[in-house]
Amino acid sequence: MTTNANDPTVDVAADAIRGGKINIPAKFEAIGFMSNAGSMRKITFTVPFREVAERLTFERLLSRHDFDTESLTTPGQRDISEKHAEKITNFLTESDRPYLGTLTIAIPDNQVDVEVLQQVANNVWLVKFVVPVTSENPIVEDGQHRVKGLTDAWRRVMADPTDEQFAEAREMLGKSSIEMTLLLEGDPTVLSTIFVKMASTRPISASLIAIMDSSAVQNRLGQQVTRKSRYLSDRTTYLGAKAAQKLAAAKGRKYDPLYPAAAVRSAAAAIAGVGVRDRTPDQREDILNQIFAERAKREGRSMEQVIEATANEIVAILDYAFTRIPGWKQMAADRMTASEFKAEYVHSSAAGLHVIANVIAAAHRAGLDARHVVDHLAKLPWRRDNLRKASRDGEEIRVHELFEDTLVRTVFDTKTGEWRAGQAGATRGAYEEAIRKVLATLARQSPELAAMHELPVLTALGLATAGRGRPRKQ
């Protein structure tokens, strides 16, 4: 709510600014400059370090939440790195120029009372704003590590006000202030996207970007697949292990990580028709936009409706595959944990997931029943111990029946005296070759699936070029 003020109020405001008599009560109030970021209003103001460290903390007036893929209403952030926050704390206690830049917080527009005191420039106003006691706490949009580092630094230097070791730090922090910008915004999707775009001080993992940033169609597709899948929703990772364990415990669940969110996003894109043509994220985005735009025009739907429909179709086939393919089948029945699955099966890696996803994509491209193809996939040797005898330089060795030098590489374990198949390395060339091997094997074993291994399908998915000729014999 915004109201205009008379000149006497402006004089009072000016006196408050000059005298530094801005009070921060149970919630807080301040005087600042309101401006716009497009359709979003924002207010920038200055607060002494001490006020931030003692009142604007996570324990009192500010809130933060680890991003939760199941929550569509609560804005979330990446998990806090204690090591990164400690670096900030050390900097603040050692520097005579403790500058941290602008902290950004956010609160829904209807939770703040804004009084316009005076217009000072085009689209810039001097305002007084109040966050009433009845309002929810603002959330940290950008600067959660700086808030924690600042709070810890202040507590460190004030633990003993007579400690000479921190005398200079107390003086420097005591006379320092920090700029804050309050975004008058409450849409969690908007805030998550802004958070990703602003987070430059510590890189965000590709998986957390995939699950948080809704500005890209590939992310929106991956997010829906992750949330809707019966078997992937609880097994897709996007936070650090410690934060993920804490989040799972808060929900009464056990942390059982399987695939990173970035891998699920890529697999979903592959099934949607990208295949392995996505040499870069930008290329994946362009291809998906084209696929969705063509379908939207063909079916007379909006882009968002097409993305949702595609996600539902992908979820249906992936969840079906989870009940059929060995290893996944045992997890679906709660007879195997993710860690046990990783130890025993070759498709436990992101590369393995991509193999299955691209075979499903090939089925779609060839006009075959994807469920029928999955049933045949289930008959392939997915266990790590599916080894066969082979010869190398006249010596008898063991190799994997299907995925040697693609998803796995077999070595002799001198400790156990047995051959063991370990990961071969998640290179694009390796898993692309694994996809070709699977398609060739299925075509040879089941002639009705041969269309998946024909040049038009391989070319459409990026597994062959038009000038390559017939697929290689396997």
Side-chain angles (χ1 to χ4, degrees):
M1 177 174 65
T2 304
T3 60
N4 289 316
N6 297 321
D7 287 342
T9 307
V10 176
D11 292 337
V12 171
D15 289 341
I17 293 174
R18 285 192 294 269
K21 298 176 181 178
I22 299 176
N23 296 319
I24 302 181
K27 288 297 183 179
F28 68 92
E29 65 182 47
I31 291 173
F33 294 95
M34 183 173 72
S35 57
N36 300 314
S39 61
M40 180 176 64
R41 296 192 302 167
K42 55 188 175 68
I43 302 173
T44 300
F45 55 104
T46 301
V47 183
F49 267 37
R50 178 169 186 163
E51 291 295 331
V52 177
E54 294 183 353
R55 299 183 65 82
L56 288 167
T57 65
F58 298 143
E59 294 84 4
R60 300 191 67 180
L61 297 181
L62 295 181
S63 297
R64 66 165 304 282
H65 310 278
D66 285 336
F67 190 86
D68 183 357
T69 187
E70 295 181 357
S71 175
L72 301 179
T73 59
T74 303
Q77 295 85 26
R78 61 183 169 192
D79 46 302
I80 283 186
S81 164
E82 297 291 337
K83 184 177 181 180
H84 186 63
E86 179 65 17
K87 288 181 180 179
I88 296 173
T89 297
N90 292 337
F91 161 72
L92 293 175
T93 57
E94 296 168 1
S95 175
D96 63 347
R97 292 176 175 81
Y99 178 71
L100 289 179
T102 301
L103 302 178
T104 306
I105 60 179
I107 194 170
D109 188 281
N110 60 7
Q111 299 285 306
V112 185
D113 294 328
V114 181
E115 179 184 3
V116 173
L117 303 178
Q118 183 178 356
Q119 184 166 0
V120 296
N122 186 30
N123 290 314
V124 180
W125 300 265
L126 177 68
V127 300
K128 176 182 178 181
F129 71 95
V130 179
V131 179
V133 176
T134 54
S135 296
E136 60 193 50
N137 285 348
I139 64 116
V140 177
E141 176 66 5
D142 181 59
Q144 58 178 356
H145 286 91
R146 283 171 285 165
V147 170
K148 180 169 178 21
L150 190 158
T151 302
D152 291 346
W154 185 257
R155 291 173 179 171
R156 180 181 297 178
V157 302
M158 294 302 294
D160 180 1
T162 64
D163 187 352
E164 287 299 315
Q165 178 186 357
F166 295 116
E168 184 177 359
R170 281 193 296 274
E171 180 185 358
M172 294 300 104
L173 295 181
K175 65 181 183 182
S176 299
S177 296
I178 192 164
E179 293 74 44
M180 301 188 76
T181 294
L182 178 66
L183 305 181
L184 302 181
E185 178 60 57
D187 187 328
T189 299
V190 171
L191 293 174
S192 292
T193 298
I194 290 175
F195 172 78
V196 170
K197 301 305 181 187
M198 292 175 65
S200 59
T201 56
R202 175 178 167 240
I204 303 178
S205 72
S207 288
L208 190 51
I209 290 175
I211 212 69
M212 285 183 69
D213 182 11
S214 298
S215 64
V217 295
Q218 59 186 294
N219 292 347
R220 296 204 293 279
L221 176 67
Q223 289 161 9
Q224 290 203 38
V225 170
T226 297
R227 288 176 176 138
K228 293 180 178 182
S229 172
R230 178 180 176 185
Y231 302 110
L232 287 173
S233 58
D234 284 341
R235 297 183 174 96
T236 301
T237 63
Y238 51 92
L239 296 173
K242 185 177 180 180
Q245 289 169 353
K246 183 177 179 181
L247 183 61
K251 296 179 179 181
R253 303 174 186 169
K254 184 179 179 181
Y255 178 54
D256 196 27
L258 182 53
Y259 299 115
V264 174
R265 175 188 62 186
S266 297
I271 296 174
V274 174
V276 296
R277 293 178 289 165
D278 52 344
R279 299 293 168 173
T280 67
D282 287 343
Q283 189 176 23
R284 182 189 307 134
E285 187 74 2
D286 290 342
I287 295 171
L288 274 180
N289 268 307
Q290 182 179 349
I291 290 171
F292 292 150
E294 291 176 354
R295 180 171 177 178
K297 182 178 180 180
R298 185 171 65 250
E299 299 179 359
R301 301 195 199 186
S302 69
M303 282 284 283
E304 290 309 312
Q305 288 173 328
V306 167
I307 292 173
E308 182 174 7
T310 304
N312 290 339
E313 293 160 6
I314 293 171
V315 167
I317 188 60
L318 282 180
D319 278 1
Y320 177 77
F322 242 91
T323 66
R324 303 290 296 174
I325 296 178
W328 280 3
K329 181 178 181 180
Q330 285 84 341
M331 280 194 294
D334 291 326
R335 298 199 304 269
M336 177 176 284
T337 65
S339 58
E340 292 170 336
F341 171 66
K342 290 176 181 178
E344 297 180 24
Y345 289 88
V346 302
H347 53 303
S348 58
S349 65
L353 173 63
H354 278 80
V355 170
I356 294 173
N358 278 279
V359 171
I360 292 172
H364 288 159
R365 190 74 186 187
L368 301 175
D369 181 354
R371 291 196 172 204
H372 180 61
V373 171
V374 166
D375 289 341
H376 282 272
L377 274 175
K379 301 175 184 178
L380 297 181
W382 294 103
R383 290 187 59 88
R384 291 186 184 278
D385 57 6
N386 288 136
L387 305 180
R388 62 178 175 83
K389 293 181 180 180
S391 177
R392 183 177 59 199
D393 298 330
E395 180 184 0
E396 184 179 287
I397 62 172
R398 298 289 186 276
V399 296
H400 196 271
E401 292 180 16
L402 182 59
F403 295 110
E404 188 68 29
D405 291 328
T406 57
L407 296 183
V408 298
R409 182 168 292 115
T410 307
V411 296
F412 184 75
D413 190 336
T414 56
K415 291 183 179 180
T416 63
E418 298 178 350
W419 289 91
R420 177 178 56 82
Q423 290 190 8
T427 63
R428 175 178 285 271
Y431 71 72
E432 286 183 4
E433 188 60 28
I435 298 167
R436 295 188 192 96
K437 279 191 173 184
V438 170
L439 292 175
T441 300
L442 293 178
R444 185 173 62 252
Q445 294 178 348
S446 305
E448 73 272 21
L449 305 184
M452 291 194 301
H453 195 233
E454 293 298 321
L455 186 58
V457 171
L458 297 179
T459 301
L461 297 181
L463 291 165
T465 60
R468 177 176 169 177
R470 295 182 58 83
R472 289 179 299 173
K473 293 184 178 181
Q474 301 291 329

